[in-house]
Amino acid sequence: MFKNRTNVVYKCTVRLLEDLDVLECEFQPNHRGTFLLDYVCEQLDIKDKDYFGLRYVDSAKQRHWLDLAKSITKQVKDVDPLVFSFRIKFYPADPFRLTGNAKFMLYQQLKRDLRHGRLYCSAGEASALGALVVQEELGDYDPEIHVGDYVAAIKIVLRQTDSLERKVMELHQKREPGQEVHIPIDEFMSIARTLETYGVDPHPVKDHRGSQLYLGINHSGINTFAAGKKAQHFRWSEIHKLNYEGKMFIAHLSYTDKESREPKKHTVGWKCGSGSACRYIWRCSIEQMLFFTLPNSQNASVMSGGGFMRGTKFRYSGRTEREILTESLNALRQQHLLNNTSPSKRKANSVPATPSSPQGDLAEIRYSSLPRSTMSEPMGCSNQINSGFLQDSTIPLLETVSEEARRQTGLENNGLSDYYFRDSFDHSSSESGFTSLTDNRIGHRLINPSHNPPLSITNQASSNNSAAVINQQNATNNAKTAKRFSILHAFVPSFIFVVIALIVLTIFILESESEMVSPIRDLPEMKILKYQYYQPLKDVFAKLFINQ
């Protein structure tokens, strides 16, 4: 018995950007990630849903973004309890591109980043941002209500001090009263967008020296931070390829040297805490790069990483930012054209119909005014029939020939099976000379079914045609078998030879001390291959030979 899973309903909790706000959601086993995100955005009245995502934590405490194109149940098999976090996934370069509740959600996300230390800034910037947060939450300063240390109840930054709170209160008290609610929100996002850590979710990594760094991936590219300051910045236009091997996240760069103006290539690698964390950083980087650089999602190709044996493939799904902006621009143009319609045109359209201007739908008028061809007439209703052509015979309607109809018309005995019809479409007419003869004879019988040829001629033709079909099928099968074996015999030795040659060449590069191969030997990929795969295998074989 098969278990009916259509009636199974899963329940999950979605945490919103405010910690105390949650949504209880339900989904079925066949639902994909986009179903859950659409439901949350619908409940929050968010139109620009492409910038948002749902994140969860697996049993190994590793974070993941919910893939919108895959089944929910397949992604969260070991997650218990099932809790998702609704977050901004793609921070736009201009936060004012978002509208309505999406813009307010971005503001809440930036407040959360500041509160948890991800939006790193100086003390003066933190004070200015804190005063705007207080203005948005408490409103204008009122000396009768806001007494004492009234800012202490509001969590603004990760490490909140008394001096910071005093500075925030001072700036809040100086603000002009009577401002609209959106003004402090706009000012907050205007300051936040200029910070180096805007839109950055820091990932802890180590460089080739073992120094602690943090990777930040946003709309501009990949950034590295050391001690709270930006150390390196690699733009998306400079990144040629992204890959990972084990715990090593690798970026292949292609740029133009500022001094020599010559194109150069460089490879940078960072060591992550675990293999799953490295794979997560690689996927985040791929998604950020494609979302902000691709013209449309149809141009997205399948991205692969992780090596040959334990690789991962990923295909981007969803719209890109350029698609979103293009759609918004087209909508604005359409609205502009509608608003700029001249009054004379509107007046002309409102004139009542006259005998010279027939009434009715515009599409019907345009269609009826076009000359019609007799080729659009249904079969059996053309002018040729009206003039007396084929008056004694009627053309039947085109319909599917069933097995019973084949038996009645004698088509079943001509040796043409369904397999032959399927196989004949895969070959040219020169390879199947029997097809045209058969099609003509079938068409003749469909047009004039009352015509019955002599029985002896029919039997003879049927036997000859059956023999021809059998011979052609045997020849085709023999040709396919010979082709399959010849390809197999040619491919296997070539593949074995290439594998052996690559193994010998790799051993030579890893074991040789020649300066000719030192650039290849010093690549991060070769170092990973040596220390994670080659050296352990070498030690195993050495122990085996010593024991023997």
Side-chain angles (χ1 to χ4, degrees):
M1 293 180 63
F2 294 96
K3 185 178 179 180
N4 186 10
R5 302 185 63 189
T6 56
N7 297 327
V8 177
V9 176
Y10 294 95
K11 293 185 178 181
C12 65
T13 302
V14 178
R15 293 176 179 171
L16 304 182
L17 291 166
E18 292 293 337
D19 293 329
L20 299 179
D21 297 338
V22 296
L23 276 178
E24 299 295 335
C25 305
E26 295 180 351
F27 62 92
Q28 294 181 351
N30 60 333
H31 285 157
R32 300 187 179 185
T34 183
F35 169 82
L36 200 56
L37 182 62
D38 290 345
Y39 176 79
V40 176
C41 292
E42 182 182 355
Q43 296 298 314
L44 300 177
D45 193 19
I46 295 176
K47 306 299 182 183
D48 304 317
K49 62 182 180 180
D50 300 275
Y51 292 92
F52 295 84
L54 294 171
R55 197 163 57 193
Y56 65 94
V57 181
D58 62 12
S59 58
K61 305 301 180 183
Q62 176 59 49
R63 294 189 300 176
H64 300 275
W65 286 105
L66 184 67
D67 195 330
L68 303 182
K70 295 183 179 179
S71 172
I72 302 175
T73 55
K74 292 182 179 179
Q75 299 180 67
V76 295
K77 292 181 179 178
D78 57 345
V79 179
D80 188 28
L82 192 53
V83 179
F84 295 98
S85 297
F86 180 72
R87 299 288 183 263
I88 294 284
K89 187 175 183 179
F90 303 108
Y91 290 75
D94 183 7
F96 298 100
R97 289 175 183 170
L98 303 185
T99 58
N101 285 348
K103 179 182 174 182
F104 182 71
M105 290 296 168
L106 177 58
Y107 165 71
Q108 286 190 321
Q109 178 71 71
L110 293 173
K111 276 201 313 180
R112 186 181 183 87
D113 294 343
L114 180 64
R115 186 165 60 247
H116 289 271
R118 290 187 293 269
L119 191 63
Y120 190 82
C121 56
S122 63
E125 293 166 337
S127 302
L129 293 173
L132 295 170
V133 172
V134 174
Q135 176 70 28
E136 183 266 328
E137 293 189 7
L138 301 182
D140 296 335
Y141 172 71
D142 189 347
E144 297 181 358
I145 300 176
H146 304 136
V147 294
D149 192 6
Y150 62 92
V151 177
I154 302 175
K155 183 66 174 177
I156 300 174
V157 295
L158 182 62
R159 296 179 179 87
Q160 193 163 316
T161 60
D162 295 337
S163 60
L164 177 66
E165 292 177 356
R166 287 193 297 269
K167 185 63 176 177
V168 169
M169 288 188 294
E170 179 183 350
L171 295 176
H172 178 235
Q173 294 168 10
K174 291 181 179 179
R175 290 191 62 84
E176 182 181 355
Q179 293 181 345
E180 296 183 5
V181 179
H182 69 88
I183 292 180
I185 296 177
D186 293 346
E187 291 183 14
F188 183 96
M189 291 195 294
S190 298
I191 298 174
R193 64 182 293 190
T194 62
L195 300 177
E196 293 180 343
T197 53
Y198 168 74
V200 165
D201 188 11
H203 305 279
V205 295
K206 291 184 179 180
D207 60 5
H208 63 284
R209 299 186 184 91
S211 302
Q212 182 68 48
L213 298 175
Y214 288 93
L215 280 185
I217 308 162
N218 61 5
H219 61 89
S220 63
I222 299 178
N223 307 277
T224 60
F225 297 91
K229 296 181 179 180
K230 183 188 290 187
Q232 293 174 311
H233 174 56
F234 305 105
R235 298 180 180 87
W236 291 128
S237 59
E238 300 174 346
I239 298 176
H240 174 66
K241 182 182 177 182
L242 295 172
N243 197 5
Y244 75 93
E245 289 283 350
K247 298 180 181 181
M248 188 71 69
F249 175 59
I250 305 167
H252 300 268
L253 308 177
S254 178
Y255 60 96
T256 303
D257 188 70
K258 295 182 180 179
E259 298 179 357
S260 62
R261 298 295 179 180
E262 295 180 356
K264 290 189 176 182
K265 294 184 178 181
H266 187 58
T267 304
V268 186
W270 300 276
K271 188 175 182 180
C272 306
S274 63
S276 57
C278 186
R279 186 166 56 252
Y280 172 70
I281 295 175
W282 171 79
R283 178 157 179 169
C284 289
S285 303
I286 292 292
E287 287 185 302
Q288 294 282 334
M289 180 178 66
L290 297 181
F291 180 80
F292 289 108
T293 59
L294 276 184
N296 55 71
S297 57
Q298 295 179 353
N299 295 337
S301 57
V302 179
M303 311 296 290
S304 59
F308 179 73
M309 298 299 294
R310 295 182 295 177
T312 302
K313 291 185 177 181
F314 169 71
R315 185 180 183 88
Y316 178 79
S317 61
R319 297 192 300 173
T320 63
E321 187 181 45
R322 198 171 301 181
E323 286 182 291
I324 300 169
L325 297 179
T326 302
E327 183 177 333
S328 301
L329 183 61
N330 293 335
L332 289 175
R333 288 176 178 174
Q334 189 69 20
Q335 186 66 28
H336 182 70
L337 292 175
L338 294 176
N339 294 336
N340 291 344
T341 303
S342 61
S344 59
K345 291 183 179 180
R346 289 197 297 266
K347 184 177 180 180
N349 292 333
S350 62
V351 174
T354 61
S356 60
S357 61
Q359 296 180 352
D361 187 62
L362 181 60
E364 295 180 359
I365 294 174
R366 289 179 177 175
Y367 179 76
S368 61
S369 63
L370 296 175
R372 296 191 181 183
S373 172
T374 56
M375 296 301 293
S376 62
E377 296 284 342
M379 297 183 68
C381 300
S382 63
N383 294 331
Q384 293 177 346
I385 296 178
N386 294 333
S387 62
F389 183 70
L390 290 179
Q391 291 179 355
D392 297 333
S393 61
T394 58
I395 300 177
L397 295 177
L398 201 61
E399 59 183 11
T400 305
V401 181
S402 62
E403 294 293 334
E404 291 77 7
R406 290 181 181 177
R407 292 190 182 94
Q408 292 174 4
T409 57
L411 297 177
E412 185 73 11
N413 298 325
N414 61 5
L416 294 177
S417 63
D418 292 337
Y419 174 80
Y420 179 78
F421 277 116
R422 289 196 299 269
D423 188 64
S424 63
F425 293 119
D426 298 332
H427 303 281
S428 61
S429 58
S430 61
E431 293 176 340
S432 179
F434 182 67
T435 308
S436 60
L437 175 62
T438 306
D439 291 340
N440 293 334
R441 186 160 52 80
I442 293 175
H444 174 72
R445 292 202 178 178
L446 285 175
I447 294 174
N448 195 0
S450 61
H451 175 70
N452 294 322
L455 181 61
S456 59
I457 298 177
T458 304
N459 293 335
Q460 184 178 359
S462 300
S463 60
N464 293 335
N465 294 339
S466 301
V469 172
I470 294 172
N471 293 333
Q472 185 172 1
Q473 288 180 351
N474 293 334
T476 304
N477 294 333
N478 294 334
K480 289 182 179 180
T481 305
K483 184 177 180 181
R484 181 167 60 252
F485 277 107
S486 61
I487 294 175
L488 185 64
H489 291 164
F491 175 75
V492 172
S494 302
F495 179 76
I496 295 174
F497 174 77
V498 171
V499 171
I500 294 175
L502 288 175
I503 292 174
V504 172
L505 181 61
T506 304
I507 295 174
F508 171 75
I509 293 174
L510 294 177
E511 294 292 342
S512 175
E513 298 180 357
S514 175
E515 296 181 356
M516 294 178 58
V517 297
S518 59
I520 302 176
R521 189 170 55 249
D522 294 338
L523 291 174
E525 292 89 344
M526 297 302 295
K527 290 183 178 180
I528 294 171
L529 179 64
K530 180 177 181 180
Y531 293 110
Q532 292 192 4
Y533 301 100
Y534 176 73
Q535 195 64 38
L537 288 175
K538 183 179 177 182
D539 296 339
V540 170
F541 282 111
K543 291 180 181 179
L544 292 176
F545 284 115
I546 291 174
N547 293 333
Q548 290 179 356

